[in-house]
Amino acid sequence: MSKTTFSAIKADVGGFPGHATVHPKLMETAENNLKGSDILLDYHITHCGDDLELLMTHRQGEDSDEVHSLAWDTFKKATEVAKELGLYGAGQDLLSDAFSGNIRGMGPGIAEMEFTERKAEPLVAFMMDKTEPGAFNLPIFKTFADPFNTAGLVIDPSIHSGFTFEIWDIKESSRVFMDAPNEMYDILALIGAKGRFVIKRVFPKEGKLPTDEPVAVVSTEKLYQIAGEYVGKDDPVAVVRSQSGLPALGEVLEPYSHAFLVSGWMRGSHNGPIMPVGVDQARCTRFDGPPRVIAVGFQIKDGKMGMASDLFDDPAYDPAREESALIANYMRRHGPFEPHRLPLEDMEYTTLPKVMTKLKGRFESVE
Ligand code: F6R
Ligand code: MG
Ligand code: MG
């Protein structure tokens, strides 16, 4: 059978209220636009915070004109509804009016992977709001390279040899392939700098699965780099396959039991703790956050997604939510001080440089 492609494409085309969540009418509009499609095998529409998330399966491969224009058209229609309802920031992430066949670089975030379906194919789509693509570095690294997270790396012969990481330097637009565990410390030297080096894909090594098909993929679009100025949030998505020659579902989810710090909270300018939540709780309220992550799981069969499972809608993640709320308090008390506020270089596209411009003539040299 031909390969299956899973495409997660998202955009903020209007928030309700403010940047908190997505109005049900936008979800309905997206549903109506995708349901008649003869390109898709299946789809699931959801939201994380103010981002409208289109999860789709098809046989068109990655970067398909048809699939991308369907997503673009869906976001355009949702924008129209957002305008009618007076929703906040209608069309915010659609940076261009002219669509030319590929949605990359146009504003929406994209994580796509084409793969040969196994007999049973468990797959999780992760979606985050109020943060940036590098927020996935820590959890993806833990799942595929940290034996304290993933027991299988130690005890399952089929994953014992580790995984290959494709890491992008998003400032230089270049990439490098690195092997775990042998290059683990060098990998960490890069991806610990999560504002610049981002895990894009993970590949298996020799074993049960084809080594040229990704088992994890992350969206890496940085809106400010596309638009040349701060225009909104690059809230990322990731798709991860699991089990049987890959980390188990529980090993894929385990990193989110810790409310690790990510950047992108309030005005894209603050560090804060990620909070794993069920879809209904993916509403960014406190100080426009704290940053949220949702996980929706599927068993893909012949390209069909089947039922969706809201994986963080689970008391097992209560301690992580509490940890996040507690750390949010602690961070907030720093107000405008680093490291709650991002370092200057990351604020480049927000208001601070304008303060510097204003004061330029008033700075005197000192010995
Ligand atoms: C948007 C976000 C928010 C906004 C903030 C200010 O996803 O991160 O924190 O940056 O609400 O928004 P504006 O400038 O639209 O009033
Ligand atoms: Mg918004
Ligand atoms: Mg958002």
Side-chain angles (χ1 to χ4, degrees):
M1 194 202 297
S2 54
K3 294 184 186 182
T4 300
T5 306
F6 190 98
S7 299
I9 307 188
K10 47 92 22 188
D12 174 353
V13 291
F16 157 73
H19 295 281
T21 187
V22 172
H23 194 286
K25 283 272 178 218
L26 299 197
M27 312 263 290
E28 203 181 297
T29 307
E31 175 82 34
N32 288 338
N33 210 48
L34 294 191
K35 78 176 171 207
S37 154
D38 46 15
I39 310 158
L40 301 183
L41 295 171
D42 210 348
Y43 65 89
H44 179 80
I45 292 160
T46 187
H47 76 92
C48 182
D50 57 6
D51 297 310
L52 179 58
E53 315 271 358
L54 313 179
L55 308 178
M56 302 168 285
T57 49
H58 53 89
R59 303 235 183 267
Q60 313 294 311
E62 294 167 24
D63 282 328
S64 143
D65 279 16
E66 281 111 319
V67 174
H68 284 205
S69 57
L70 178 64
W72 184 258
D73 185 54
T74 305
F75 292 135
K76 283 300 238 191
K77 290 200 169 116
T79 298
E80 288 315 307
V81 176
K83 283 182 182 157
E84 278 162 30
L85 295 174
L87 300 182
Y88 195 71
Q92 168 186 301
D93 285 356
L94 306 187
L95 304 179
S96 166
D97 283 334
F99 180 77
S100 57
N102 193 303
I103 212 165
R104 277 179 210 286
M106 311 276 296
I110 308 121
E112 289 185 299
M113 61 158 84
E114 187 183 32
F115 54 90
T116 310
E117 245 182 61
R118 295 169 292 165
K119 204 163 59 199
E121 189 61 63
L123 178 151
V124 183
F126 290 97
M127 293 149 269
M128 291 181 173
D129 191 36
K130 309 300 184 252
T131 184
E132 59 172 8
F136 276 113
N137 283 3
L138 184 148
I140 298 275
F141 174 84
K142 282 182 117 177
T143 289
F144 289 98
D146 178 3
F148 282 76
N149 179 90
T150 298
L153 292 169
V154 180
I155 60 183
D156 178 352
S158 69
I159 58 172
H160 194 68
S161 59
F163 291 89
T164 302
F165 287 75
E166 176 184 337
I167 299 166
W168 283 21
D169 178 340
I170 52 178
K171 293 226 160 91
E172 295 294 327
S173 302
S174 58
R175 67 177 177 181
V176 57
F177 290 85
M178 297 176 83
D179 275 357
N182 46 325
E183 293 183 288
M184 183 143 144
Y185 299 154
D186 288 340
I187 292 175
L188 286 168
L190 297 186
I191 65 168
K194 60 187 172 42
R196 172 156 176 189
F197 296 100
V198 177
I199 299 171
K200 177 68 188 173
R201 293 185 185 85
V202 180
F203 294 91
K205 291 202 202 145
E206 291 308 324
K208 286 186 173 175
L209 287 93
T211 52
D212 58 347
E213 293 182 6
V215 292
V217 61
V218 181
S219 66
T220 46
E221 284 71 26
K222 285 285 258 177
L223 284 182
Y224 78 75
Q225 282 163 354
I226 300 169
E229 59 179 342
Y230 181 84
V231 288
K233 299 288 310 82
D234 347 286
D235 310 311
V237 285
V239 182
V240 182
R241 297 163 64 201
S242 78
Q243 303 287 158
S244 168
L246 292 175
L249 182 78
E251 292 164 339
V252 170
L253 300 175
E254 180 63 4
Y256 303 89
S257 62
H258 163 50
F260 51 91
L261 290 172
V262 299
S263 52
W265 192 4
M266 182 51 89
R267 298 176 185 277
S269 308
H270 293 79
N271 285 309
I274 195 90
M275 184 181 271
V277 288
V279 176
D280 285 347
Q281 297 302 316
R283 240 178 309 129
C284 291
T285 52
R286 178 162 186 208
F287 199 53
D288 285 357
R292 311 277 163 139
V293 57
I294 60 167
V296 182
F298 303 95
Q299 277 295 143
I300 309 288
K301 176 68 180 162
D302 299 334
K304 294 271 183 205
M305 293 160 75
M307 239 179 106
S309 176
D310 186 358
L311 295 163
F312 291 148
D313 178 17
D314 177 346
Y317 293 91
D318 283 349
R321 293 190 263 273
E322 274 156 33
E323 184 185 36
S324 172
L326 202 67
I327 302 295
N329 278 343
Y330 173 82
M331 296 299 281
R332 282 298 304 127
R333 282 194 214 155
H334 294 80
F337 282 81
E338 298 175 11
H340 180 29
R341 197 183 72 182
L342 297 190
L344 276 188
E345 58 183 80
D346 294 330
M347 300 271 298
E348 224 171 306
Y349 294 91
T350 56
T351 51
L352 215 73
K354 292 174 195 143
V355 178
M356 293 306 285
T357 314
K358 199 169 72 187
L359 295 179
K360 211 169 168 195
R362 288 172 54 189
F363 274 94
E364 299 163 9
S365 308
V366 281
E367 284 311 310

